């Protein structure tokens, strides 16, 4: 059985309720969710090894993510019936400011969550910088870090963001199709982070 045998999963599920955002805005839970997104399916034991935490603690936090519909049980990938396998319920998440700005508590939780996500992404990039010598010439040449300053309207920024996301999704689908076909030679996990925001000098 492959991931494509079942119904197509929701693309970028939009998180709009405070409880779900709070469940996700926890350092370990976000690491587990990210790890599960990369693995596509995994057990608590496999994820515990990745994050260097006790299996019991990881299982607890996976159940919390499941309570909010962020992950779900998956078909077992082994004959060991004692192991629960997990998978994300959607291909990506979308968390938007407009869904949390109508009350001070919501805005505060959204800001705290955004800072956590940024800190974890920054840690991922710092790790790459520390390890880049081990990646070799091809990956270091392909890797990108840049900053652009544009003069745009809010509508134009929205259009730019939509075009970038569509491009990322195309490449994501290409990579998944290759994995499903067993074409994994030379293929690695690649993280793309973007931040587009207004500022005044």
């Amino acid at each position: 059985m492959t991931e494509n045998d079942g119904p197509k999963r929701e693309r970028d599920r939009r998180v709009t309720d405070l409880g779900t955002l709070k469940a996700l805005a926890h350092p370990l839970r976000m690491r587990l969710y990210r790890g599960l997104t990369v693995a596509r399916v995994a057990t608590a034991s496999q994820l515990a090894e990745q994050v260097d935490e006790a299996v019991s603690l990881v299982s607890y936090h996976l159940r919390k993510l499941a309570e909010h519909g962020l992950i779900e049980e998956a078909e077992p990938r082994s004959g060991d019936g004692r192991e629960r396998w997990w998978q994300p319920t959607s291909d990506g998440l979308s968390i938007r400011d407009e869904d949390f700005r109508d009350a001070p508590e919501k805005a505060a939780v959204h800001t705290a969550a955004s800072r956590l996500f940024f800190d974890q992404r920054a840690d991922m990039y710092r790790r790459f910088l520390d390890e880049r010598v081990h990646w070799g010439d091809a990956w270091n040449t392909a890797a990108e870090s840049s900053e652009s300053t544009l003069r745009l309207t809010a509508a134009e920024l929205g259009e730019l963001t939509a075009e970038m996301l569509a491009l990322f999704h195309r490449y994501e689908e290409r990579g998944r199709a290759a994995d499903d076909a067993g074409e994994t030679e030379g293929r690695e996990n690649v993280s793309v982070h973007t931040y587009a925001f207004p500022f005044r000098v």
Side-chain angles (χ1 to χ4, degrees), residues 3-192:
E3 294 296 308
N4 293 330
D5 289 337
K8 191 169 178 66
R9 290 190 299 181
E10 181 181 1
R11 166 88 260 174
D12 289 337
R13 172 194 165 190
R14 188 164 175 174
V15 175
T16 58
D17 66 287
L18 195 58
T20 302
L21 182 59
K22 283 182 175 180
L24 193 61
H26 179 285
L28 180 54
R29 283 181 206 154
M30 190 60 220
R31 288 177 65 202
L32 293 172
Y33 184 83
R34 183 178 288 111
L36 196 54
T37 298
V38 172
R40 297 169 70 176
V41 288
T43 65
S45 298
Q46 291 169 340
L47 292 168
E49 190 173 327
Q50 284 183 27
V51 299
D52 195 26
E53 294 287 355
V55 176
S56 57
L57 180 64
V58 167
S59 293
Y60 168 79
H61 285 296
L62 289 173
R63 289 194 300 272
K64 287 297 180 185
L65 292 171
E67 283 176 17
H68 291 275
L70 294 163
I71 66 172
E72 63 189 358
E73 286 197 57
E75 289 291 322
R77 298 303 200 262
S78 69
D80 187 351
R82 296 169 300 176
E83 286 262 56
R84 294 171 81 180
W85 290 78
W86 298 95
Q87 65 186 8
T89 55
S90 62
D91 287 331
L93 296 173
S94 173
I95 302 171
R96 303 183 189 178
D97 170 74
E98 60 260 36
D99 295 321
F100 298 97
R101 69 167 73 125
D102 60 337
E105 183 196 2
K106 287 183 177 182
V109 171
H110 179 253
T111 296
S114 298
R115 287 180 176 275
L116 168 67
F117 303 154
F118 173 77
D119 287 343
Q120 290 192 341
R121 291 169 188 155
D123 285 342
M124 291 174 70
Y125 188 62
R126 288 189 192 98
R127 180 178 172 185
F128 165 71
L129 293 177
D130 291 342
E131 298 175 352
R132 72 189 322 169
V133 66
H134 303 296
W135 279 102
D137 292 343
W139 282 107
N140 276 289
T141 300
E144 169 67 8
S145 173
S146 63
E147 181 178 339
S148 300
T149 302
L150 314 176
R151 290 285 292 172
L152 304 175
T153 65
E156 288 168 338
L157 177 55
E159 184 180 341
L160 173 63
T161 300
E163 288 184 20
M164 287 193 301
L165 289 175
L167 178 63
F168 298 157
H169 291 165
R170 268 205 323 274
Y171 274 87
E172 179 186 23
E173 288 165 7
R174 180 191 295 185
R176 286 196 173 196
D179 277 344
D180 289 340
E183 300 167 5
T184 58
E185 182 68 28
R187 206 167 285 280
E188 300 282 356
N189 299 316
V190 173
S191 189
V192 180

